[in-house]
Coordinates of all heavy atoms in Angstrom, one line a residue:
M289 N 25.3 -9.8 3.9 CA 24.3 -9.5 2.9 C 24.9 -9.9 1.6 O 26.0 -9.7 1.3 CB 24.0 -8.0 2.9 CG 22.9 -7.7 1.9 SD 22.6 -5.9 2.0 CE 22.0 -5.7 0.3
A290 N 24.1 -10.5 0.8 CA 24.5 -11.0 -0.6 C 24.6 -9.8 -1.5 O 23.8 -8.9 -1.4 CB 23.6 -12.0 -1.1
E291 N 25.6 -9.8 -2.3 CA 25.8 -8.7 -3.3 C 25.6 -9.2 -4.7 O 26.4 -10.1 -5.1 CB 27.2 -8.1 -3.1 CG 27.4 -7.4 -1.7 CD 28.8 -6.9 -1.5 OE1 29.7 -7.3 -2.3 OE2 28.9 -6.1 -0.6
F292 N 24.6 -8.6 -5.4 CA 24.4 -9.0 -6.7 C 24.3 -7.8 -7.7 O 23.9 -6.7 -7.2 CB 23.0 -9.8 -6.9 CG 22.9 -11.0 -6.1 CD1 22.3 -11.1 -4.9 CD2 23.4 -12.2 -6.6 CE1 22.3 -12.3 -4.2 CE2 23.4 -13.4 -6.0 CZ 22.8 -13.5 -4.7
C293 N 24.8 -8.0 -8.9 CA 24.6 -6.9 -9.9 C 23.2 -6.8 -10.3 O 22.4 -7.7 -10.0 CB 25.6 -7.1 -11.0 SG 25.2 -8.6 -12.0
L294 N 22.9 -5.7 -11.0 CA 21.5 -5.6 -11.4 C 21.0 -6.6 -12.4 O 19.8 -7.1 -12.3 CB 21.3 -4.2 -12.0 CG 19.9 -3.7 -12.3 CD1 19.1 -3.6 -11.0 CD2 19.9 -2.4 -13.0
D295 N 21.9 -7.1 -13.2 CA 21.5 -8.1 -14.2 C 21.2 -9.4 -13.5 O 20.1 -10.1 -13.8 CB 22.6 -8.4 -15.2 CG 22.9 -7.1 -16.0 OD1 22.0 -6.3 -16.2 OD2 24.1 -6.9 -16.4
C296 N 22.0 -9.9 -12.6 CA 21.8 -11.1 -11.8 C 20.5 -10.9 -11.0 O 19.7 -11.9 -10.8 CB 22.9 -11.4 -11.0 SG 24.4 -11.9 -11.9
W297 N 20.3 -9.8 -10.4 CA 19.1 -9.5 -9.5 C 17.8 -9.7 -10.4 O 16.9 -10.3 -9.9 CB 19.2 -8.2 -8.9 CG 18.1 -7.8 -8.0 CD1 17.0 -7.1 -8.3 CD2 18.0 -8.3 -6.6 NE1 16.2 -7.0 -7.2 CE2 16.8 -7.7 -6.2 CE3 18.7 -9.0 -5.8 CZ2 16.3 -7.9 -4.8 CZ3 18.3 -9.2 -4.5 CH2 17.1 -8.7 -4.1
N298 N 17.8 -9.1 -11.5 CA 16.6 -9.2 -12.4 C 16.4 -10.6 -12.9 O 15.3 -11.1 -12.9 CB 16.8 -8.2 -13.6 CG 16.6 -6.8 -13.1 OD1 15.8 -6.5 -12.2 ND2 17.2 -5.9 -13.9
R299 N 17.5 -11.3 -13.2 CA 17.4 -12.7 -13.6 C 16.8 -13.6 -12.5 O 16.0 -14.5 -12.7 CB 18.7 -13.1 -14.1 CG 18.7 -14.5 -14.8 CD 20.0 -14.9 -15.5 NE 21.0 -13.9 -15.5 CZ 22.1 -14.0 -14.8 NH1 22.3 -14.9 -13.9 NH2 23.0 -13.0 -14.9
M300 N 17.3 -13.4 -11.3 CA 16.9 -14.2 -10.2 C 15.4 -14.0 -9.7 O 14.7 -14.9 -9.4 CB 17.8 -14.0 -9.0 CG 19.2 -14.6 -9.1 SD 20.2 -14.5 -7.6 CE 19.7 -13.0 -6.8
N301 N 15.1 -12.7 -9.8 CA 13.7 -12.4 -9.4 C 12.7 -12.4 -10.5 O 11.5 -12.2 -10.2 CB 13.7 -11.0 -8.6 CG 14.5 -11.1 -7.4 OD1 14.4 -12.1 -6.6 ND2 15.3 -10.1 -7.1
G302 N 13.1 -12.5 -11.7 CA 12.2 -12.4 -12.9 C 11.6 -11.1 -13.1 O 10.5 -10.9 -13.5
T303 N 12.4 -10.0 -12.8 CA 11.9 -8.6 -13.0 C 12.8 -7.9 -14.1 O 13.8 -8.5 -14.5 CB 12.0 -7.8 -11.7 OG1 13.4 -7.8 -11.3 CG2 11.2 -8.5 -10.6
C304 N 12.4 -6.8 -14.4 CA 13.2 -5.9 -15.3 C 13.3 -4.5 -14.7 O 13.0 -3.5 -15.3 CB 12.6 -5.9 -16.7 SG 11.0 -5.3 -16.8
D305 N 13.8 -4.4 -13.4 CA 14.0 -3.1 -12.7 C 15.1 -2.4 -13.4 O 16.0 -2.9 -13.9 CB 14.2 -3.4 -11.3 CG 13.1 -4.1 -10.6 OD1 11.9 -4.0 -11.1 OD2 13.3 -4.7 -9.5
S306 N 15.0 -1.1 -13.2 CA 16.1 -0.2 -13.7 C 17.0 0.3 -12.5 O 16.7 0.0 -11.3 CB 15.5 1.1 -14.3 OG 14.7 1.8 -13.4
E307 N 18.0 0.9 -12.9 CA 19.0 1.4 -11.9 C 18.4 2.5 -11.0 O 18.9 2.7 -9.9 CB 20.3 1.9 -12.6 CG 21.1 0.9 -13.2 CD 22.4 1.4 -13.7 OE1 22.8 2.6 -13.4 OE2 23.1 0.7 -14.4
E308 N 17.4 3.2 -11.5 CA 16.8 4.3 -10.7 C 16.1 3.8 -9.5 O 15.9 4.6 -8.5 CB 15.8 5.1 -11.5 CG 16.5 5.9 -12.6 CD 16.8 5.2 -13.9 OE1 16.0 4.2 -14.1 OE2 17.7 5.6 -14.6
E309 N 15.8 2.5 -9.4 CA 15.1 2.0 -8.2 C 16.0 1.6 -7.1 O 15.5 1.3 -6.0 CB 14.2 0.8 -8.6 CG 13.1 1.2 -9.6 CD 12.3 0.0 -10.0 OE1 12.0 -0.9 -9.1 OE2 11.9 -0.1 -11.2
Y310 N 17.3 1.5 -7.4 CA 18.2 1.0 -6.4 C 19.4 1.9 -6.2 O 19.7 2.7 -7.1 CB 18.8 -0.4 -6.9 CG 17.8 -1.4 -7.0 CD1 17.2 -1.7 -8.3 CD2 17.3 -2.2 -6.0 CE1 16.2 -2.7 -8.4 CE2 16.3 -3.1 -6.1 CZ 15.8 -3.4 -7.3 OH 14.8 -4.4 -7.5
I311 N 20.0 1.8 -5.0 CA 21.3 2.5 -4.8 C 22.4 1.5 -5.2 O 22.4 0.4 -4.7 CB 21.4 2.9 -3.3 CG1 20.3 3.8 -2.9 CG2 22.8 3.4 -3.0 CD1 20.2 4.0 -1.4
I312 N 23.2 2.0 -6.1 CA 24.2 1.1 -6.7 C 25.6 1.5 -6.2 O 25.8 2.7 -6.0 CB 24.2 1.2 -8.3 CG1 22.8 1.0 -8.9 CG2 25.3 0.3 -8.9 CD1 22.4 -0.5 -8.8
S313 N 26.5 0.6 -5.9 CA 27.8 0.8 -5.3 C 28.6 1.7 -6.3 O 28.5 1.5 -7.6 CB 28.5 -0.4 -5.0 OG 28.8 -1.2 -6.1
K314 N 29.5 2.5 -5.8 CA 30.4 3.3 -6.6 C 31.6 2.5 -7.1 O 32.1 2.7 -8.2 CB 30.8 4.6 -5.9 CG 29.6 5.5 -5.6 CD 30.1 6.8 -4.9 CE 29.0 7.7 -4.6 NZ 29.3 8.8 -3.7
D315 N 32.0 1.7 -6.2 CA 33.2 0.8 -6.5 C 32.7 -0.5 -7.1 O 31.6 -1.0 -6.9 CB 34.0 0.6 -5.3 CG 34.5 1.9 -4.7 OD1 34.8 2.8 -5.6 OD2 34.7 2.0 -3.5
L316 N 33.7 -1.2 -7.7 CA 33.4 -2.5 -8.2 C 33.5 -3.6 -7.1 O 34.4 -3.5 -6.3 CB 34.4 -2.9 -9.3 CG 34.3 -2.0 -10.6 CD1 35.4 -2.5 -11.6 CD2 33.0 -2.1 -11.3
D317 N 32.5 -4.5 -7.1 CA 32.5 -5.5 -6.1 C 32.2 -6.8 -6.8 O 31.8 -6.8 -8.0 CB 31.4 -5.3 -5.1 CG 31.7 -4.2 -4.1 OD1 32.8 -4.1 -3.7 OD2 30.7 -3.4 -3.7
L318 N 32.5 -7.9 -6.2 CA 32.4 -9.2 -6.8 C 30.9 -9.6 -6.7 O 30.3 -9.7 -5.6 CB 33.2 -10.3 -6.0 CG 33.2 -11.6 -6.7 CD1 33.8 -11.6 -8.0 CD2 34.0 -12.6 -5.7
C319 N 30.3 -9.8 -7.8 CA 28.9 -10.2 -7.9 C 28.8 -11.7 -7.5 O 29.6 -12.5 -8.1 CB 28.3 -9.9 -9.2 SG 26.6 -10.6 -9.4
E320 N 27.9 -12.1 -6.6 CA 27.8 -13.4 -6.2 C 27.0 -14.3 -7.1 O 27.0 -15.5 -7.0 CB 27.2 -13.5 -4.8 CG 28.1 -12.9 -3.7 CD 27.5 -13.0 -2.3 OE1 26.5 -13.7 -2.1 OE2 28.0 -12.3 -1.5
G321 N 26.3 -13.7 -8.1 CA 25.5 -14.4 -9.1 C 26.4 -14.8 -10.3 O 26.4 -16.0 -10.6
C322 N 27.1 -13.9 -10.9 CA 27.9 -14.2 -12.1 C 29.4 -14.3 -11.8 O 30.1 -14.8 -12.6 CB 27.6 -13.2 -13.1 SG 28.0 -11.5 -12.7
G323 N 29.8 -13.9 -10.6 CA 31.2 -14.0 -10.3 C 32.1 -13.0 -11.0 O 33.4 -13.2 -11.0
Q324 N 31.6 -11.9 -11.5 CA 32.4 -10.9 -12.1 C 32.4 -9.6 -11.2 O 31.6 -9.4 -10.4 CB 31.7 -10.5 -13.5 CG 31.7 -11.6 -14.5 CD 31.1 -11.2 -15.8 OE1 30.6 -10.1 -15.9 NE2 30.9 -12.2 -16.7
W325 N 33.4 -8.8 -11.5 CA 33.6 -7.6 -10.8 C 32.7 -6.5 -11.4 O 32.9 -6.1 -12.6 CB 35.0 -7.1 -10.8 CG 35.9 -7.9 -9.9 CD1 36.6 -9.0 -10.3 CD2 36.1 -7.8 -8.5 NE1 37.2 -9.6 -9.3 CE2 36.9 -8.9 -8.1 CE3 35.6 -6.9 -7.5 CZ2 37.4 -9.1 -6.8 CZ3 36.0 -7.1 -6.2 CH2 36.9 -8.2 -5.9
K326 N 31.6 -6.1 -10.8 CA 30.6 -5.2 -11.3 C 30.1 -4.3 -10.2 O 30.4 -4.5 -9.0 CB 29.4 -5.9 -11.9 CG 29.7 -6.7 -13.1 CD 28.3 -7.3 -13.6 CE 28.5 -8.0 -14.9 NZ 27.2 -8.5 -15.4
H327 N 29.4 -3.3 -10.5 CA 28.7 -2.4 -9.6 C 27.5 -3.2 -9.1 O 26.7 -3.8 -9.8 CB 28.2 -1.1 -10.2 CG 29.3 -0.3 -10.7 ND1 30.1 0.5 -9.9 CD2 29.8 -0.1 -11.9 CE1 31.0 1.1 -10.6 NE2 30.9 0.8 -11.9
V328 N 27.4 -3.4 -7.7 CA 26.4 -4.2 -7.1 C 25.3 -3.3 -6.5 O 25.5 -2.1 -6.2 CB 26.9 -5.2 -6.1 CG1 27.9 -6.2 -6.8 CG2 27.6 -4.5 -5.0
I329 N 24.1 -3.9 -6.2 CA 23.0 -3.3 -5.5 C 23.4 -3.2 -4.0 O 23.7 -4.1 -3.4 CB 21.7 -4.0 -5.7 CG1 21.4 -4.0 -7.2 CG2 20.6 -3.4 -4.9 CD1 20.2 -4.9 -7.5
V330 N 23.2 -2.0 -3.5 CA 23.5 -1.7 -2.1 C 22.2 -1.8 -1.3 O 22.1 -2.5 -0.3 CB 24.2 -0.3 -1.8 CG1 24.3 -0.1 -0.3 CG2 25.5 -0.3 -2.5
A331 N 21.2 -1.0 -1.8 CA 19.8 -1.0 -1.2 C 18.8 -0.6 -2.2 O 19.1 0.0 -3.3 CB 19.9 -0.1 0.0
K332 N 17.6 -0.8 -1.8 CA 16.5 -0.3 -2.6 C 16.1 1.0 -2.2 O 16.0 1.3 -1.0 CB 15.3 -1.3 -2.6 CG 14.2 -1.0 -3.5 CD 13.1 -2.1 -3.5 CE 12.0 -1.8 -4.4 NZ 12.1 -2.5 -5.6
K333 N 15.9 1.9 -3.2 CA 15.4 3.3 -2.8 C 14.0 3.2 -2.2 O 13.1 2.6 -2.8 CB 15.4 4.2 -4.0 CG 16.8 4.6 -4.5 CD 16.8 5.5 -5.6 CE 18.1 5.8 -6.1 NZ 18.1 6.7 -7.3
E334 N 13.8 3.8 -1.1 CA 12.6 3.7 -0.3 C 11.5 4.5 -1.0 O 10.3 4.1 -1.0 CB 12.8 4.2 1.1 CG 11.6 3.9 2.0 CD 11.9 4.3 3.4 OE1 13.1 4.2 3.8 OE2 11.0 4.6 4.2
F335 N 11.8 5.7 -1.5 CA 10.7 6.6 -2.0 C 10.7 6.7 -3.5 O 10.2 7.6 -4.0 CB 10.9 8.0 -1.4 CG 10.8 8.0 0.1 CD1 11.9 8.2 0.9 CD2 9.5 7.8 0.7 CE1 11.8 8.2 2.3 CE2 9.4 7.9 2.1 CZ 10.5 8.0 2.9
Y336 N 11.2 5.6 -4.2 CA 11.2 5.7 -5.6 C 9.8 5.7 -6.1 O 9.4 6.4 -7.0 CB 11.9 4.5 -6.2 CG 11.8 4.3 -7.7 CD1 12.6 5.2 -8.5 CD2 11.0 3.4 -8.3 CE1 12.5 5.1 -9.9 CE2 10.9 3.3 -9.7 CZ 11.6 4.2 -10.4 OH 11.5 4.1 -11.8
Y337 N 8.9 4.8 -5.7 CA 7.6 4.7 -6.2 C 6.7 6.0 -5.9 O 5.9 6.4 -6.6 CB 6.8 3.4 -5.7 CG 7.5 2.2 -6.3 CD1 8.3 1.4 -5.5 CD2 7.3 1.9 -7.6 CE1 8.9 0.3 -6.1 CE2 7.9 0.8 -8.2 CZ 8.7 0.0 -7.4 OH 9.3 -1.1 -7.9
H338 N 7.0 6.6 -4.7 CA 6.3 7.8 -4.3 C 6.7 8.9 -5.3 O 5.8 9.6 -5.7 CB 6.6 8.2 -2.9 CG 6.2 7.2 -1.9 ND1 4.9 6.9 -1.6 CD2 6.9 6.3 -1.1 CE1 4.8 5.9 -0.7 NE2 6.1 5.6 -0.3
Y339 N 8.0 9.0 -5.6 CA 8.4 10.0 -6.6 C 7.8 9.8 -7.9 O 7.4 10.7 -8.6 CB 9.9 10.0 -6.6 CG 10.4 11.0 -7.7 CD1 10.4 12.3 -7.5 CD2 10.9 10.5 -8.9 CE1 10.9 13.2 -8.4 CE2 11.4 11.3 -9.9 CZ 11.4 12.7 -9.6 OH 11.8 13.5 -10.6
Y340 N 7.7 8.5 -8.3 CA 7.2 8.1 -9.6 C 5.7 8.6 -9.7 O 5.3 9.1 -10.7 CB 7.4 6.7 -9.9 CG 6.7 6.2 -11.1 CD1 7.3 6.5 -12.4 CD2 5.6 5.5 -11.1 CE1 6.8 6.0 -13.6 CE2 5.0 5.0 -12.4 CZ 5.6 5.3 -13.5 OH 5.0 4.9 -14.7
M341 N 5.0 8.3 -8.6 CA 3.5 8.7 -8.6 C 3.3 10.1 -8.6 O 2.5 10.7 -9.3 CB 2.8 8.0 -7.4 CG 2.7 6.5 -7.5 SD 1.9 6.0 -9.0 CE 0.2 6.4 -8.7
L342 N 4.2 10.8 -7.8 CA 4.0 12.3 -7.8 C 4.4 12.9 -9.1 O 3.8 13.9 -9.6 CB 5.0 12.9 -6.7 CG 4.5 12.6 -5.3 CD1 5.6 13.2 -4.3 CD2 3.2 13.3 -5.0
S343 N 5.4 12.4 -9.8 CA 5.7 12.9 -11.1 C 4.6 12.7 -12.1 O 4.3 13.5 -13.0 CB 7.0 12.3 -11.6 OG 6.9 10.9 -11.9
F344 N 3.9 11.5 -12.0 CA 2.8 11.2 -12.9 C 1.7 12.2 -12.7 O 1.1 12.8 -13.6 CB 2.3 9.8 -12.7 CG 1.0 9.5 -13.4 CD1 1.0 9.3 -14.7 CD2 -0.2 9.4 -12.7 CE1 -0.2 9.0 -15.4 CE2 -1.4 9.2 -13.3 CZ -1.4 9.0 -14.7
F345 N 1.4 12.5 -11.4 CA 0.3 13.5 -11.1 C 0.7 14.9 -11.5 O -0.1 15.7 -11.9 CB -0.1 13.4 -9.6 CG -0.9 12.2 -9.3 CD1 -0.5 11.3 -8.3 CD2 -2.1 11.9 -9.9 CE1 -1.2 10.1 -8.1 CE2 -2.9 10.8 -9.6 CZ -2.4 9.9 -8.7
W346 N 2.0 15.2 -11.3 CA 2.4 16.6 -11.8 C 2.3 16.7 -13.3 O 1.9 17.8 -13.7 CB 3.9 16.8 -11.3 CG 4.4 18.1 -11.7 CD1 5.4 18.4 -12.6 CD2 4.0 19.3 -11.2 NE1 5.5 19.7 -12.7 CE2 4.7 20.3 -11.9 CE3 3.0 19.8 -10.2 CZ2 4.6 21.7 -11.6 CZ3 2.9 21.1 -10.0 CH2 3.7 22.1 -10.6
L347 N 2.6 15.7 -14.0 CA 2.4 15.7 -15.5 C 1.0 15.8 -15.8 O 0.6 16.6 -16.7 CB 3.0 14.4 -16.1 CG 3.0 14.3 -17.6 CD1 3.8 15.4 -18.3 CD2 3.3 12.9 -18.0
L348 N 0.1 15.1 -15.1 CA -1.3 15.2 -15.3 C -1.8 16.6 -15.0 O -2.6 17.2 -15.8 CB -2.1 14.2 -14.5 CG -3.5 14.0 -14.8 CD1 -3.8 13.5 -16.2 CD2 -4.1 13.1 -13.7
F349 N -1.3 17.2 -13.9 CA -1.8 18.6 -13.5 C -1.3 19.6 -14.6 O -2.1 20.5 -14.9 CB -1.1 18.9 -12.2 CG -1.4 20.2 -11.7 CD1 -2.7 20.5 -11.2 CD2 -0.5 21.2 -11.7 CE1 -3.0 21.8 -10.7 CE2 -0.8 22.5 -11.2 CZ -2.0 22.8 -10.7
K350 N -0.1 19.4 -15.1 CA 0.4 20.4 -16.2 C -0.4 20.2 -17.4 O -0.8 21.2 -18.1 CB 1.9 20.1 -16.5 CG 2.8 20.6 -15.4 CD 4.3 20.6 -15.7 CE 4.8 19.7 -16.8 NZ 6.2 19.7 -16.9
L351 N -0.8 19.0 -17.8 CA -1.6 18.8 -19.0 C -3.0 19.4 -18.9 O -3.5 20.0 -19.8 CB -1.7 17.3 -19.3 CG -2.5 16.9 -20.5 CD1 -1.8 17.3 -21.8 CD2 -2.7 15.3 -20.5
V352 N -3.6 19.2 -17.7 CA -5.0 19.8 -17.5 C -4.8 21.3 -17.6 O -5.7 22.0 -18.1 CB -5.6 19.3 -16.2 CG1 -6.8 20.1 -15.8 CG2 -5.9 17.8 -16.3
G353 N -3.8 21.8 -16.9 CA -3.6 23.3 -17.0 C -3.4 23.8 -18.4 O -3.9 24.9 -18.7
K354 N -2.7 23.1 -19.2 CA -2.5 23.6 -20.6 C -3.8 23.5 -21.4 O -4.1 24.4 -22.2 CB -1.4 22.8 -21.3 CG -0.1 23.1 -20.8 CD 1.0 22.4 -21.5 CE 2.4 22.8 -20.9 NZ 3.5 22.4 -21.7
V355 N -4.6 22.5 -21.2 CA -5.9 22.4 -21.8 C -6.8 23.5 -21.4 O -7.5 24.2 -22.2 CB -6.6 21.0 -21.5 CG1 -8.0 21.0 -22.0 CG2 -5.8 19.9 -22.2
I356 N -6.9 23.8 -20.1 CA -7.7 24.9 -19.6 C -7.2 26.3 -20.2 O -8.0 27.1 -20.6 CB -7.7 24.9 -18.0 CG1 -8.5 23.8 -17.5 CG2 -8.3 26.3 -17.5 CD1 -8.4 23.6 -16.1
Y357 N -5.9 26.5 -20.2 CA -5.3 27.7 -20.8 C -5.7 27.8 -22.2 O -6.0 28.9 -22.7 CB -3.8 27.7 -20.7 CG -3.1 28.8 -21.2 CD1 -3.1 30.1 -20.5 CD2 -2.3 28.8 -22.4 CE1 -2.5 31.2 -21.1 CE2 -1.7 29.9 -22.9 CZ -1.8 31.1 -22.2 OH -1.1 32.2 -22.8
F358 N -5.6 26.7 -23.0 CA -6.0 26.8 -24.4 C -7.5 27.1 -24.6 O -7.9 28.0 -25.4 CB -5.8 25.4 -25.1 CG -6.2 25.3 -26.5 CD1 -5.6 26.0 -27.5 CD2 -7.4 24.6 -26.8 CE1 -6.1 25.9 -28.8 CE2 -7.9 24.5 -28.1 CZ -7.2 25.2 -29.1
L359 N -8.3 26.5 -23.8 CA -9.8 26.8 -23.8 C -10.1 28.3 -23.5 O -11.0 28.9 -24.0 CB -10.6 25.8 -23.0 CG -10.6 24.4 -23.5 CD1 -11.3 23.5 -22.5 CD2 -11.2 24.3 -24.8
W360 N -9.4 28.8 -22.5 CA -9.6 30.1 -22.0 C -9.2 31.1 -23.2 O -9.9 32.1 -23.4 CB -8.8 30.4 -20.8 CG -8.9 31.9 -20.3 CD1 -8.0 32.8 -20.4 CD2 -10.0 32.4 -19.6 NE1 -8.4 34.0 -19.9 CE2 -9.7 33.7 -19.4 CE3 -11.2 31.9 -19.2 CZ2 -10.6 34.6 -18.7 CZ3 -12.1 32.8 -18.7 CH2 -11.8 34.1 -18.4
N361 N -8.1 30.8 -23.8 CA -7.7 31.7 -24.9 C -8.6 31.5 -26.1 O -8.9 32.5 -26.8 CB -6.2 31.3 -25.4 CG -5.2 31.9 -24.5 OD1 -5.4 32.9 -23.8 ND2 -4.1 31.2 -24.4
L362 N -9.1 30.4 -26.3 CA -10.1 30.2 -27.4 C -11.4 31.0 -27.1 O -12.1 31.5 -28.0 CB -10.5 28.7 -27.5 CG -11.2 28.3 -28.8 CD1 -10.3 28.6 -30.0 CD2 -11.5 26.8 -28.7
L363 N -11.8 31.1 -25.8 CA -13.0 31.8 -25.4 C -12.7 33.3 -25.6 O -13.6 34.0 -25.9 CB -13.3 31.5 -23.9 CG -14.5 32.2 -23.3 CD1 -15.8 31.6 -24.0 CD2 -14.5 32.0 -21.8
L364 N -11.5 33.8 -25.3 CA -11.2 35.2 -25.4 C -10.9 35.7 -26.8 O -10.8 36.9 -27.1 CB -10.1 35.6 -24.5 CG -10.4 35.5 -23.0 CD1 -9.1 35.9 -22.2 CD2 -11.5 36.5 -22.7
L365 N -10.7 34.8 -27.7 CA -10.3 35.1 -29.1 C -11.3 36.1 -29.8 O -10.8 37.1 -30.4 CB -10.1 33.8 -29.9 CG -9.6 34.0 -31.4 CD1 -8.2 34.6 -31.4 CD2 -9.6 32.7 -32.1
P366 N -12.6 35.9 -29.7 CA -13.5 36.8 -30.4 C -13.4 38.3 -29.8 O -13.4 39.2 -30.5 CB -14.9 36.3 -30.1 CG -14.7 34.8 -29.8 CD -13.3 34.7 -29.3
Y367 N -13.2 38.3 -28.5 CA -13.0 39.7 -27.9 C -11.7 40.3 -28.4 O -11.7 41.5 -28.7 CB -12.9 39.5 -26.4 CG -12.5 40.8 -25.7 CD1 -13.3 41.9 -25.6 CD2 -11.2 40.9 -25.1 CE1 -12.9 43.1 -25.0 CE2 -10.8 42.0 -24.5 CZ -11.6 43.1 -24.4 OH -11.2 44.3 -23.8
W368 N -10.6 39.6 -28.5 CA -9.3 40.2 -29.0 C -9.5 40.6 -30.4 O -9.0 41.7 -30.9 CB -8.2 39.2 -28.9 CG -7.7 38.9 -27.5 CD1 -7.9 39.7 -26.4 CD2 -7.1 37.7 -27.0 NE1 -7.4 39.1 -25.3 CE2 -6.9 37.9 -25.6 CE3 -6.7 36.6 -27.7 CZ2 -6.2 36.9 -24.9 CZ3 -6.0 35.6 -26.9 CH2 -5.8 35.8 -25.5
I369 N -10.2 39.9 -31.3 CA -10.4 40.2 -32.6 C -11.2 41.5 -32.7 O -10.9 42.4 -33.5 CB -11.0 39.0 -33.4 CG1 -10.1 37.9 -33.6 CG2 -11.5 39.5 -34.8 CD1 -10.7 36.6 -34.2
F370 N -12.3 41.6 -32.0 CA -13.1 42.7 -31.9 C -12.3 44.0 -31.5 O -12.4 45.1 -32.0 CB -14.3 42.5 -31.1 CG -15.2 43.7 -30.8 CD1 -16.0 44.2 -31.8 CD2 -15.1 44.4 -29.6 CE1 -16.8 45.3 -31.6 CE2 -15.9 45.5 -29.4 CZ -16.7 46.0 -30.4
K371 N -11.6 43.8 -30.4 CA -10.8 44.9 -29.8 C -9.7 45.4 -30.8 O -9.6 46.6 -31.0 CB -10.1 44.5 -28.6 CG -9.4 45.6 -27.8 CD -8.8 45.0 -26.5 CE -7.9 46.1 -25.9 NZ -7.3 45.6 -24.7
N372 N -9.1 44.5 -31.5 CA -8.0 44.9 -32.5 C -8.6 45.6 -33.7 O -8.1 46.5 -34.3 CB -7.2 43.8 -32.9 CG -6.2 43.3 -31.8 OD1 -5.8 44.2 -31.0 ND2 -5.7 42.1 -31.9
N373 N -9.8 45.1 -34.2 CA -10.5 45.7 -35.3 C -11.0 47.1 -35.0 O -11.0 48.0 -35.8 CB -11.6 44.8 -35.9 CG -11.0 43.6 -36.6 OD1 -9.9 43.6 -37.1 ND2 -11.8 42.6 -36.7
R374 N -11.4 47.3 -33.8 CA -12.0 48.6 -33.4 C -10.9 49.6 -33.2 O -11.1 50.8 -33.5 CB -12.7 48.4 -32.0 CG -13.6 49.6 -31.7 CD -14.2 49.4 -30.4 NE -13.2 49.4 -29.4 CZ -13.3 49.4 -28.0 NH1 -14.5 49.3 -27.6 NH2 -12.3 49.3 -27.2
L375 N -9.7 49.2 -32.7 CA -8.6 50.1 -32.6 C -8.0 50.5 -33.9 O -7.4 51.6 -34.1 CB -7.5 49.5 -31.7 CG -7.8 49.3 -30.2 CD1 -6.7 48.6 -29.5 CD2 -8.1 50.6 -29.5
R376 N -8.1 49.7 -34.9 CA -7.5 50.0 -36.2 C -8.3 51.0 -37.0 O -7.9 51.7 -37.9 CB -7.3 48.7 -37.1 CG -6.2 47.8 -36.5 CD -6.0 46.7 -37.4 NE -5.0 45.8 -36.8 CZ -4.7 44.6 -37.1 NH1 -5.3 44.1 -38.2 NH2 -3.8 43.9 -36.5
K377 N -9.6 51.1 -36.7 CA -10.5 52.0 -37.5 C -10.4 53.5 -37.0 O -10.0 53.9 -36.1 CB -12.0 51.6 -37.3 CG -12.2 50.3 -38.0 CD -13.7 49.9 -37.9 CE -13.9 48.6 -38.5 NZ -15.3 48.1 -38.4

């Protein structure tokens, strides 16, 4: 199997992938693209895109939850004001 560093891999394939998408070697190996001793790509992470999509939907879920929470508090605000004014009298 050919061993390429992330820079050579992106240059050869015309991409701008990040290190999070690949399993990178811990030790220095000889890159076959540039001929330097660098950390090379061992394999592509299989579930990277699934995790990315799940994190997107989780962020969307949290955002919708915060909007609903805000609207619920806005709906209850007149009741809280009435209740606090009644208790103070």
Side-chain angles (χ1 to χ4, degrees):
M289 182 179 156
E291 296 178 341
F292 295 101
C293 64
L294 187 62
D295 298 330
C296 293
W297 182 261
N298 285 333
R299 191 173 350 108
M300 285 187 328
N301 294 318
T303 60
C304 57
D305 296 338
S306 63
E307 288 187 13
E308 288 84 27
E309 296 182 38
Y310 298 99
I311 299 172
I312 306 292
S313 66
K314 293 179 183 176
D315 297 328
L316 295 176
D317 288 321
L318 185 63
C319 173
E320 295 180 14
C322 60
Q324 297 178 3
W325 289 93
K326 293 184 175 181
H327 298 282
V328 296
I329 296 174
V330 176
K332 187 172 180 104
K333 289 184 181 176
E334 188 173 335
F335 297 107
Y336 174 75
Y337 293 106
H338 299 292
Y339 174 74
Y340 177 74
M341 292 302 290
L342 287 176
S343 65
F344 172 74
F345 286 119
W346 180 249
L347 180 66
L348 187 64
F349 180 73
K350 287 187 345 184
L351 181 65
V352 168
K354 287 184 181 192
V355 168
I356 291 172
Y357 179 74
F358 174 76
L359 292 175
W360 179 255
N361 284 332
L362 195 64
L363 181 68
L364 290 178
L365 184 64
Y367 169 73
W368 289 336
I369 292 173
F370 173 75
K371 183 178 174 183
N372 285 337
N373 285 339
R374 192 180 66 173
L375 291 176
R376 288 184 185 171
K377 291 182 183 180

